[in-house]
């Protein structure tokens, strides 16, 4: 016998109380009452009911997750060999309890296990605590966390799919014999349409022939998109309206403004996959940790990134989509929520604008490893002009720079990105430049050496001592990846700076500088 849930009792009590209050209104109109208290009690009861319902919902969700996790086999020293060798297909998740990305992936993996079981898949889903069982992890060749591997008859394959439950299911089914879903009726098509947001639909009068073979091969090769096929044009039109051809047809469907895109090339695997690479993303894609690898591996190497808070981005979304249409296949447009520091801050730091609170528009050309920044207001017209300039090569590469400092009376000149040309490369004097970063362990020792040298050569008018913070300043002719670095720019040859050892003593450095200064003086005397 089932007990009634607490929520039902409270609802009954609340309804009864409300009915009594309603029926009592004519009687209590002339009598002092505590209606405010009654109303307060009712609100508390209803609030309590809402709270209990929320708790029940959370409990149900936890129960579903727990059930899903039970479907996943927990590997250990005793059962791993039997589990992998005793099943045709085993998808293994190697994780570590302390790894945040493992923790993020585990519920998606468990959900995928549930879906695959409901679909009748023969894939065994298993997970291994690689920290607890290091020997088993080594045997399976699990080296990092999280790691996904598919074992087919005991032989492992690297996982190359996405990390949502839907993407895991898709990849697993494609790799285990179900690359294409066949749709035979309008009802099936409607059900499919409710389930998938992005998919490829193929129309073939008969499921055979060279075009169909290439279609299936493309479906197998692709790791990210569900392929479907139909032989009836009415069925296919449910998924992709207004198909009129009776010849083999292929199109991609996305749940965004550019919903339907028809493929017009030859039915060849490489050409179909190329078509998908250029069309699978929405006009503007939101970057996440889960999709970052896919986004950056896109064949569209020129990528414009918009950093903004969610509310601000929504105001810009519609005009930005119009801009994206104009530059389709030439520029990939990416949105990054500026509130997500793990994603946004590393990019913003590359431009030296990590403290920005407003909208930032930047670009990367991954083909030539260059970066660009929109330095005017991020209005739609300015963004469009910025994109046009990028394509025509008239936007200058962006280099970070601090504001120009006041070096008056300074014994050591502070160089920034904007002053590197004038104060170092174009200076008629010899320049000893110290390149450092705030996080460099040995930079402080080198800085003290440079200060001693500057003091020693204070009376010389042919040598400038300078330093630049490479963490916040850049220049195309200052490519340094080792800190600290000492560079001597001889007055007669600024194009070929001499790298000095930071392990040299102050005396040795002073002798080196004196030698170059004497050489300059001798050249001057000879000219006279």
């Amino acid at each position: 016998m089932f007990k009634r849930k607490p929520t039902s009792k409270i609802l009954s009590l609340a309804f009864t109380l409300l009915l009594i209050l309603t029926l009592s209104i004519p009687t209590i109109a002339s009598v002092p009452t505590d209606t405010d208290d009654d109303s307060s009690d009712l609100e508390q009861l209803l609030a309590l009911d809402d709270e209990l319902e929320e708790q029940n919902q959370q409990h149900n969700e936890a129960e579903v997750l727990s059930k899903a996790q039970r479907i996943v086999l927990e590997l250990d020293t005793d059962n791993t060999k039997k589990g992998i060798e005793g099943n045709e297909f085993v998808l293994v998740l190697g994780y570590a309890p302390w790894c945040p990305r493992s923790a993020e992936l585990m519920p998606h993996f468990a959900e995928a296990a549930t879906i695959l079981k409901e679909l009748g898949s023969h894939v065994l889903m298993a997970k291994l605590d690689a920290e607890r069982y290091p020997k088993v992890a080594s045997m399976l060749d699990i080296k990092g966390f999280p790691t996904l591997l598919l074992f087919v008859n005991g032989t492992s394959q690297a996982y190359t799919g996405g990390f949502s439950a839907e993407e895991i299911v898709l990849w697993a089914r494609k790799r285990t014999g179900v690359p294409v879903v066949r749709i035979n009726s309008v009802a099936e098509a409607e059900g499919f349409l409710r389930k998938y947001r992005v998919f490829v639909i193929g129309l073939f009068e008969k499921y055979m022939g060279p075009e169909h073979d290439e279609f299936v091969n493309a479906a197998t090769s692709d790791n990210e998109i569900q392929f479907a096929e139909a032989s009836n044009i009415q069925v296919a039109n449910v998924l992709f309206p207004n198909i009129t051809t009776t010849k083999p047809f292929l199109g991609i469907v996305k749940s965004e403004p550019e919903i339907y895109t028809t493929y017009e090339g030859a039915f060849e695997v490489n050409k179909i996959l190329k078509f998908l690479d250029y069309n699978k993303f929405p006009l503007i894609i939101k970057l996440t940790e889960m999709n970052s690898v896919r986004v950056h591996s896109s064949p569209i190497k020129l990528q414009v990134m918009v950093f903004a808070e969610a509310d601000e981005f929504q105001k810009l979304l519609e005009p930005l989509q119009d801009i994206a249409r104009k530059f389709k296949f030439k520029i990939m447009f990416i949105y990054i929520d500026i509130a997500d520091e793990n994603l946004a801050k590393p990019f913003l730091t590359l431009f030296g604008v990590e403290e920005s609170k407003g909208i930032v528009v930047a670009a990367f050309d991954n083909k030539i490893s260059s970066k660009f920044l929109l330095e005017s207001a991020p209005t739609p017209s300015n963004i469009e002009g910025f994109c046009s300039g990028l394509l025509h090569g008239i936007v200058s590469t962006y280099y970070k720079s601090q504001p120009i400092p006041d070096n008056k009376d300074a014994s050591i000149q502070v160089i920034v990105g904007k002053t590197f040309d004038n104060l170092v490369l174009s200076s008629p004097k010899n320049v000893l430049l110290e390149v450092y970063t705030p996080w460099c362990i040995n930079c402080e020792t080198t800085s003290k050496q440079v200060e001693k040298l500057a003091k020693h050569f204070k009376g010389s008018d042919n040598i400038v001592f300078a330093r630049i913070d490479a963490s916040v300043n850049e220049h195309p002719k200052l490519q340094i990846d080792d800190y600290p670095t000492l560079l001597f720019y001889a007055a007669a040859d600024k194009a070929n700076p001499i790298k000095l050892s930071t392990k040299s003593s102050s005396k040795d450095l002073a002798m080196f500088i004196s030698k170059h200064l004497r050489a300059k003086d001798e050249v001057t005397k000879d000219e006279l």
Side-chain angles (χ1 to χ4, degrees), residues 158-190:
Y159 179 82
T160 55
F163 298 102
S164 68
E166 181 181 308
E167 289 169 325
I168 294 170
V169 169
L170 176 64
W171 190 89
R173 295 191 79 200
K174 285 195 174 193
R175 290 297 176 277
T176 58
V178 193
V180 180
V181 175
R182 185 167 292 178
I183 301 177
N184 298 307
S185 67
V186 169
E188 286 181 15
E190 290 171 346

Side-chain angles (χ1 to χ4, degrees), residues 94-106:
Y95 70 95
W98 46 261
C99 170
R101 294 204 67 181
S102 294
E104 186 179 2
L105 179 57
M106 298 245 328

